[in-house]
Amino acid sequence: MTTLFISDLHLSASTKKINDSFITFMREEAIHADALYVLGDLFEFWIGDDDKSDFASLIRQEFKRLTQSGVPCYFTQGNRDFLVGKRFAKETGITLLGDETVIDLYGQQAVILHGDTLCTRDVSYLKFREKVHQPWLQWIFNRIPMFIKKKIVSKVQSDIKDDKQTKSLDIMDVTQSEVERVMGHYNVPVMIHGHTHRPKVHTFDVEGQIKTRIVLGDWYTQGSVLAYDKNNFDLQHRPFVTK
Ligand code: LP5
Ligand code: MN
């Protein structure tokens, strides 16, 4: 049996091809898995659990279908869906995880996270993250009418849009010392994350111990899935479905 990991699908009402591919993945693959882990940025932006749009309902329904069929599903928030909350979890049957979680993968301990917090040289982003993660601010935002929330989000998005263009690719990648610090903190040989959209398996040596960092890919042009079983893991691609 296999445990599956995905991240960075960036789903929205206007990404039909990706949404269809995600639904096919849920119905034809995830349904047979031991568990599904979503490591953040499932959504292009999640405005709040009160989103009643057809798109939001469609995605909720897919998770509900999966969890009701008996497949446990775990969700770590990304930088674009940090407002996925308890109501979403209740309505879909998923389990919402914290920023960093240690899991047991068939006897192997792994720390899983979205990956944004590993990019410690992206200082402007981390300051921004700290602001939008303040519980009191989220409490207020979650109670504002949807049409006002939409205006706030598009204003913030357009205000910060140019900031990303000025950053080097290097700044937006993980800091190796932070990777080693987090893995050392939890004393695990494996780390799994997304966010950087640089799918790869990195192996390195820390004081004589071999460590593995698996980076999931985005779903911009194809699906990216990590399949982990008792004896092996495989970072795989999926061609998009055509409907
Ligand atoms: O996802 P990706 O790769 O495109 O970019 C991320 C970082 N960007 C983000 C921004 C989100 O995509 C959009 C968020 C909209 C938020 C609306 C908030 C509404 C209020 C909610 C209150 C509870 O995550 C990008 C990283 C990149 O990853 C690295 O790969 O670099 O970070 C940025 O570009 C952020 C800028 O650096 C921050 C600029 C500071 C602006 C300060 C504005 C303060 C606004 C306070 C809001 C209340
Ligand atoms: Mn991200």
Side-chain angles (χ1 to χ4, degrees):
M1 287 290 277
T2 307
T3 297
L4 300 174
F5 296 82
I6 55 172
S7 72
D8 302 283
L9 288 85
H10 292 246
L11 304 180
S12 74
S14 54
T15 55
K16 189 175 179 313
K17 208 189 252 187
I18 312 177
N19 304 354
D20 287 345
S21 302
F22 166 69
I23 290 169
T24 303
F25 165 78
M26 294 290 271
R27 292 184 186 183
E28 294 181 7
E29 274 196 63
I31 196 103
H32 303 297
D34 281 337
L36 171 68
Y37 286 86
V38 180
L39 299 190
D41 288 3
L42 174 78
F43 297 106
E44 177 68 7
F45 191 73
W46 184 253
I47 197 147
D49 292 354
D50 56 335
D51 188 344
K52 294 187 179 69
S53 65
D54 290 348
F55 162 72
S57 305
L58 175 79
I59 302 301
R60 271 193 291 262
Q61 189 191 316
E62 284 311 313
F63 280 105
K64 193 173 175 185
R65 196 185 168 113
L66 185 68
T67 58
Q68 282 191 336
S69 74
V71 179
C73 181
Y74 303 93
F75 193 104
T76 298
Q77 298 168 333
N79 56 296
R80 289 165 170 272
D81 43 25
F82 57 91
L83 291 171
V84 166
K86 286 184 189 146
R87 182 167 156 192
F88 183 90
K90 194 165 178 234
E91 287 172 355
T92 59
I94 64 148
T95 302
L96 203 52
L97 303 174
D99 286 345
E100 295 168 355
T101 309
V102 174
I103 59 170
D104 181 286
L105 283 166
Y106 310 98
Q108 180 92 280
Q109 299 288 107
V111 60
I112 58 170
L113 65 170
H114 177 55
D116 52 338
T117 50
L118 299 169
C119 306
T120 55
R121 288 161 300 162
D122 196 347
V123 176
S124 60
Y125 166 69
L126 289 177
K127 279 190 185 150
F128 170 78
R129 185 184 194 277
E130 223 171 87
K131 283 197 183 82
V132 297
H133 274 252
Q134 295 174 103
W136 67 268
L137 187 62
Q138 293 192 0
W139 191 90
I140 291 172
F141 189 80
N142 285 334
R143 281 154 186 83
I144 292 173
M146 184 55 80
F147 78 99
I148 300 178
K149 292 205 290 185
K150 284 185 177 160
K151 283 190 180 156
I152 295 173
V153 170
S154 48
K155 172 84 174 80
V156 175
Q157 279 171 332
S158 82
D159 284 355
I160 68 176
K161 186 175 83 227
D162 295 339
D163 199 61
K164 192 178 160 190
Q165 317 305 330
T166 63
K167 297 178 193 178
S168 70
L169 285 175
D170 193 43
I171 277 181
M172 292 190 285
D173 201 356
V174 302
T175 305
Q176 180 63 19
S177 58
E178 181 63 7
V179 168
E180 292 179 16
R181 188 194 67 76
V182 173
M183 293 180 84
H185 176 74
Y186 294 107
N187 191 24
V188 291
V190 178
M191 170 182 272
I192 305 170
H193 70 85
H195 181 65
T196 60
H197 302 199
R198 301 176 206 211
K200 195 172 170 170
V201 177
H202 301 261
T203 47
F204 49 95
D205 185 301
V206 181
E207 291 166 4
Q209 289 187 315
I210 299 294
K211 305 269 186 184
T212 306
R213 175 170 69 96
I214 308 168
V215 188
L216 305 171
D218 60 56
W219 281 51
Y220 285 161
T221 54
Q222 59 186 348
S224 175
V225 178
L226 170 67
Y228 213 111
D229 65 33
K230 198 170 169 16
N231 305 310
N232 214 344
F233 67 82
D234 196 14
L235 190 52
Q236 304 167 345
H237 298 308
R238 297 279 180 285
F240 282 157
V241 294
T242 42
K243 279 196 180 169

